[in-house]
């Protein structure tokens, strides 16, 4: 028996052994339990998280632009008050 077919044979036998053992049931139950726990934790997907991060970045940029305009307006107002009519 050559090496690749020997490894395939061992892998196939291990897979069959695991299917026939309680390990498959344990794995299925563990996955179900984890899925239930994650649902209760109210987690978000990576895509939803990335969307929120992008939105926060855009909002921060808008706030910085508005703050700059406000500061510019305040500076303009001060200079207008200093100049006599």
């Amino acid at each position: 028996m050559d090496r690749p077919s020997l490894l395939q044979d061992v892998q196939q036998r291990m897979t069959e052994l695991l299917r026939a053992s309680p390990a498959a049931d344990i794995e299925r139950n563990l996955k179900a339990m984890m899925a239930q726990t994650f649902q209760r934790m109210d987690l978000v997907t990576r895509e939803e998280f990335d969307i929120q991060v992008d939105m926060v970045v855009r909002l921060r940029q808008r706030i910085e632009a508005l703050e700059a305009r406000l500061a510019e307006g305040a500076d303009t107002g001060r200079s207008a008050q200093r100049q006599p009519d």
Side-chain angles (χ1 to χ4, degrees), residues 15-84:
T15 302
E16 290 171 7
L17 180 65
L18 286 176
R19 261 191 226 133
S21 75
D25 291 335
I26 292 171
E27 180 182 2
R28 219 170 316 144
N29 290 340
L30 185 60
K31 283 182 180 180
M33 185 180 68
M34 289 175 65
Q36 208 173 41
T37 301
F38 290 151
Q39 275 184 331
R40 275 187 257 142
M41 293 174 69
D42 199 25
L43 300 175
V44 297
T45 64
R46 183 64 192 198
E47 182 182 359
E48 291 170 321
F49 178 79
D50 289 341
I51 289 169
Q52 292 297 318
V53 167
D54 290 341
M55 187 170 37
V56 168
V57 167
R58 286 194 312 272
L59 287 172
R60 181 166 293 179
Q61 290 170 346
R62 287 178 63 190
I63 288 171
E64 288 172 356
L66 289 171
E67 286 175 340
R69 284 179 54 193
L70 185 61
E72 183 181 300
D75 290 343
T76 304
R78 284 188 199 125
S79 63
Q81 287 177 351
R82 291 181 190 154
Q83 295 176 355

